Structures are given as C-alpha cells and as structure tokens.
Amino acid sequence: MSELKDKEIALTEIIKAAGRLAVAFSGGVDSTYLLYKAHEILGDDVIAVTVSSQVLTEEELERTKAFCEKIGVKQEIIDFDVFEVGQFADNPPNRCYHCKRKIFESIKNAAERFGTDKVSDGSNADDEGDYRPGMRAVKELGVISPLKDANLAKIDIRELSRKAELPTWNSPSAACLASRFAYGEKITDEGLVRVASAERFIKSLGFDGIRVRVHGDIARIEASPDDIVKMMQEELRKRISEELRHLGFRYVTMDMDGYRTGSMNEALGSKEVKT
C-alpha cells in the first residue's frame, strides 16, 4: 500500500471520528479538498462555513458558493468586519493571531447552530514547521486540522485533488489580502480594495500566482521567474505600471527574487506567517 493511500485512510478515520463537522472553507486548495472528503464521508453531517470579509475577494467568495452548490453541501456565510478586530488595522507582526481568533470564534458559533462542537481548518503538514501566529489561535480554540493530523503535505493534497477532479488541484496558493501589507503599514479598507484591484488587473493579462505587496505608496510585484520576463516586455510593463499608478500607487516595482511565501517576514528575520 502506498504512503499516500495510508495518509488518505488516516484522514478518513479522523473525519469519521468527528461525527458531525463544520469546515472552515475559504475555497483554497486545502480547505476545498477537506470539505470534499468530509462531505464524501459524512454527507449531510458536514457544513461549510465561509467568512466573508474585506480580506476575501468577491471572486474567491463566489467560488466557494459555486463549489458548495456543485457537491451539494450546506454552506453558511458569515459577514465579518476585520476592522472590528483590535490591532488589525495597525498590522503588527502577530496581526494574524488576533484576526484568526475572532474569525474562528464566529465559526465555532456557526458550528454550534449546526449542532456540533467540532470545527476543522485546512492546515496541512507543511504548516507544522512554520511559526504562524494564526495557528496559535486555532489551537487555543480547539479547532482540529485533519489534513495536518493525517500528515498530508501540500503536494499530497494536490495529487488527491487531481484524482478527485477538483478544480483547485493546480490552483496557485492563496492568502488573505492583509498579507500584502508590510508589518506596521496601516491597513485600510481603501488599501485592501486597491491591492485586490491591482492583482485582478495583472491576472486579467494572463498571469497567475502573483502578489502585489504594499510598502507605503510602492507596489512591489512578485511573480514567477518566467512571468517576470514576460512582464518586462515593453507593452505589458507599461500597461501594468499605468494601471497601478491609476489605482493610487506612486511607484510600481518588480521584485527580482520572484514570488515566495512569507516575503513580508524577511524583514523580521524569521518566517512568522505563511502568506
């Protein structure tokens, strides 16, 4: 029996043990596979809980709705104002802890209305090595992480998603929009809209898996090495620069090191958050 099959069996047993489960569903690679598998095993005893806030794009929210409708799982959407979270707007390095704590408290309330105290998130085995403030909130609230507990890494989840023909199997990694702002940089509603619009425009040109990081009035674009070369073509370079300036950035720059997770943590000297 293959190692991946063993992990899949372990995941099945973990989900079965939950009995009735609420899945925190953002529509990313991990939570999509978790929700799919939980629904396959538990049927109507699973609910998807999606938090709609200023750090989730409208496109991402609509994808969660479409997927839940497609597989026939009940979804509860919670409207959540991130600016009501203390310290969120000030954006300290542990911002994610404060935000996750409040978000999962809301998800736990939704789970109770569904008749369960079991809430799960999409953390995977690759997250274990990172110091992530948000993970502390998850543990404090007793949220379970079935993918991580089954020792499933991101590459495993993509392979299982591919076999299950899930649309997210090869989707780029996603992270909340707040991760685009340098620590200490004030986060505003206008700023979140600006960065979402900037990324939406660049993606409309055929680029995916990109980030627009915000440093004051500077937009720092991260992309794959191949996409960096393409974006440097004169016509595309000018279009991107003009549009981002139109959105309110004074300077538009390309990060020559390319896209990587947690780049905002480099100034801290450690990986505090995976973004």
Side-chain angles (χ1 to χ4, degrees):
M1 189 177 295
S2 71
E3 182 181 356
L4 182 56
K5 188 64 177 177
D6 287 342
K7 292 179 181 180
E8 189 177 13
I9 291 171
L11 176 64
T12 297
E13 294 306 312
I14 293 166
I15 292 173
K16 279 183 179 177
R20 192 166 173 84
L21 184 66
V23 176
F25 181 51
S26 65
V29 177
D30 301 324
S31 65
T32 296
Y33 179 71
L34 176 60
L35 179 62
Y36 160 79
K37 196 66 178 177
H39 184 248
E40 180 182 69
I41 296 165
L42 301 176
D44 291 341
D45 282 329
V46 66
I47 185 174
V49 184
T50 301
V51 176
S52 174
S53 73
Q54 298 94 327
V55 297
L56 184 76
T57 67
E58 187 63 31
E59 295 90 342
E60 289 170 327
L61 179 61
E62 289 305 314
R63 281 197 292 269
T64 70
K65 294 178 183 178
F67 184 74
C68 289
E69 184 176 347
K70 180 179 179 180
I71 67 172
V73 68
K74 177 180 171 64
Q75 180 185 31
E76 179 165 345
I77 297 173
I78 300 171
D79 290 324
F80 184 82
D81 184 355
V82 292
F83 291 102
E84 292 184 357
V85 176
Q87 300 192 50
F88 174 83
D90 291 334
N91 194 21
N94 65 344
R95 175 203 69 240
C96 194
Y97 168 78
H98 299 286
C99 202
K100 286 277 191 182
R101 177 90 195 187
K102 291 296 185 183
I103 284 174
F104 273 95
E105 285 174 354
S106 297
I107 293 173
K108 283 179 73 72
N109 290 337
E112 289 173 5
R113 291 192 292 272
F114 184 61
T116 183
D117 62 353
K118 295 291 192 303
V119 174
S120 62
D121 79 333
S123 299
N124 65 62
D126 291 335
D127 298 323
E128 193 66 36
D130 288 331
Y131 170 67
R132 303 174 66 197
M135 290 297 295
R136 178 161 66 94
V138 166
K139 290 177 181 177
E140 288 175 356
L141 293 171
V143 174
I144 63 174
S145 302
L147 301 175
K148 181 164 66 70
D149 293 343
N151 201 31
L152 284 162
K154 178 72 80 174
I155 191 171
D156 299 323
I157 296 162
R158 288 190 183 278
E159 176 59 16
L160 291 171
S161 298
R162 184 189 66 79
K163 289 181 178 179
E165 299 182 345
L166 300 181
T168 50
W169 77 269
N170 63 346
S171 296
S173 296
C176 90
L177 290 173
S179 67
R180 312 310 199 258
F181 294 79
Y183 293 125
E185 181 87 23
K186 197 81 170 179
I187 300 177
T188 64
D189 190 56
E190 180 185 16
L192 291 169
V193 171
R194 179 184 298 122
V195 76
S197 298
E199 291 189 355
R200 185 182 302 114
F201 175 75
I202 295 173
K203 289 176 181 178
S204 75
L205 299 177
F207 300 101
D208 217 337
I210 59 98
R211 294 285 189 271
V212 174
R213 309 288 191 183
V214 181
H215 303 262
D217 55 7
I218 300 172
R220 174 171 60 87
I221 301 171
E222 294 180 8
S224 70
D226 287 345
D227 284 347
I228 289 175
V229 174
K230 293 175 184 176
M231 285 187 198
M232 288 298 97
Q233 295 175 12
E234 186 173 3
E235 183 180 349
L236 281 173
R237 179 178 59 77
K238 286 183 176 180
R239 288 185 65 186
I240 292 170
S241 179
E242 288 173 2
E243 179 62 21
L244 268 61
R245 286 172 182 270
H246 175 72
L247 290 171
F249 292 105
R250 179 171 297 182
Y251 305 104
V252 181
T253 69
M254 177 65 70
D255 189 322
M256 303 312 291
D257 288 330
Y259 169 67
R260 66 269 187 206
T261 61
S263 72
M264 286 305 196
N265 302 305
E266 292 166 358
L268 302 176
S270 65
K271 279 193 174 183
E272 293 210 15
V273 189
K274 189 173 183 179
T275 57

